[in-house]
Amino acid sequence: MENVFIFDHPLIQHKISLLRDKNTDTKEFRELVSEIAMLMGYEVTRNMPLKEVEIETPVGIAKTKVISGKKLGIVPILRAGLGMVDGMLNLLPMAKVGHIGLYRDPETLQPVEYYCKLPVDVEEREIVVLDPMLATGGSASAAIQFIKNRGVKNIKLMCLIAAKSGIERIRADHPDVSIYCAAVDEKLNDHAYIIPGLGDAGDRLFGTK
């Protein structure tokens, strides 16, 4: 699928298996989400541009490379996306962090933005949206659109597990947005939970029900 990247790295696949296990407790679940996010971050940032610089080492001058071009920002979708932030920041401590919160209107069933706080220079940054579970794709699509409305042109979506229907929704609504995920599951149940998935990521991260 164009613009869809599915990670097959053994470490990521191993940790996703542990994440799915219903017996994985809150502490371990939280650690696994952070670890997987950091591992995925390596690939998400693969195309960051570099420039050559000269560095003075203790014994001479080295021509070497540093990251150039657009700065990076990460935006978790509240609340489950928060679990992926620390892993990304361990890899990219210079990244700015925004937050976006959505709820579903009970009458229209459409996502409504209730909170959005983004870096002041967000339109100059490449933004990685964090959402552990891409189920119907409705919330992620709305979040991406809200971010685009702030002038952002370069957006990537990073999730742990995606349903095929969620991927199709993002590809239809935002064909310019690349999707990165560690696993793709076939379907949703009647409550729009990914099957087999891993349950409610937010509840498992924060120990709620």
Side-chain angles (χ1 to χ4, degrees):
M1 292 180 285
E2 187 177 358
N3 276 356
V4 179
F5 303 89
I6 304 168
F7 295 85
D8 59 0
H9 193 286
L11 279 175
I12 293 176
Q13 291 304 308
H14 176 77
K15 291 175 184 293
I16 284 288
S17 296
L18 297 175
L19 206 62
R20 290 184 188 271
D21 191 334
K22 69 177 184 179
N23 296 313
T24 297
D25 63 24
T26 299
K27 176 180 181 294
E28 186 179 5
F29 189 92
R30 192 178 297 141
E31 291 170 349
L32 286 165
V33 169
S34 183
E35 290 166 2
I36 295 167
M38 183 172 65
L39 291 169
M40 291 178 69
Y42 280 102
E43 195 64 30
V44 172
T45 56
R46 174 176 291 276
N47 294 322
M48 292 182 75
L50 296 170
K51 65 179 180 180
E52 189 174 87
V53 296
E54 287 190 351
I55 300 291
E56 185 176 357
T57 79
V59 293
I61 301 296
K63 288 188 176 181
T64 186
K65 294 175 181 175
V66 296
I67 294 170
S68 67
K70 288 186 177 294
K71 301 173 184 177
L72 198 69
I74 55 179
V75 179
I77 298 177
L78 302 177
R79 64 183 168 139
L82 291 172
M84 302 171 73
V85 172
D86 284 348
M88 288 292 284
L89 287 179
N90 285 338
L91 187 67
L92 301 157
M94 70 290 197
K96 295 290 182 67
V97 182
H99 296 86
I100 189 162
L102 308 171
Y103 71 89
R104 189 175 299 277
D105 186 287
E107 294 184 1
T108 67
L109 302 181
Q110 295 302 308
V112 178
E113 176 189 309
Y114 69 84
Y115 183 80
C116 187
K117 184 77 169 180
L118 301 176
V120 292
D121 59 349
V122 66
E123 69 281 355
E124 300 173 10
R125 294 179 177 270
E126 182 175 359
I127 296 298
V128 181
V129 177
L130 307 177
D131 192 13
M133 308 298 285
L134 183 63
T136 65
S139 294
S141 178
I144 290 168
Q145 188 58 56
F146 293 144
I147 293 169
K148 284 183 174 180
N149 293 345
R150 268 78 173 184
V152 180
K153 304 295 185 185
N154 298 287
I155 300 173
K156 296 177 179 179
L157 173 62
M158 192 170 108
C159 51
L160 304 183
I161 298 178
K164 288 185 176 180
S165 55
I167 290 174
E168 290 168 1
R169 172 70 181 271
I170 299 300
R171 291 183 71 205
D173 293 352
H174 304 286
D176 57 321
V177 173
S178 295
I179 304 168
Y180 297 82
C181 56
V184 177
D185 288 358
E186 286 291 328
K187 59 184 180 179
L188 307 177
N189 66 12
D190 293 339
H191 300 287
Y193 277 70
I194 299 175
I195 302 296
L198 50 73
D200 187 297
D203 283 345
R204 295 194 68 186
L205 274 165
F206 299 110
T208 55
K209 289 186 178 181

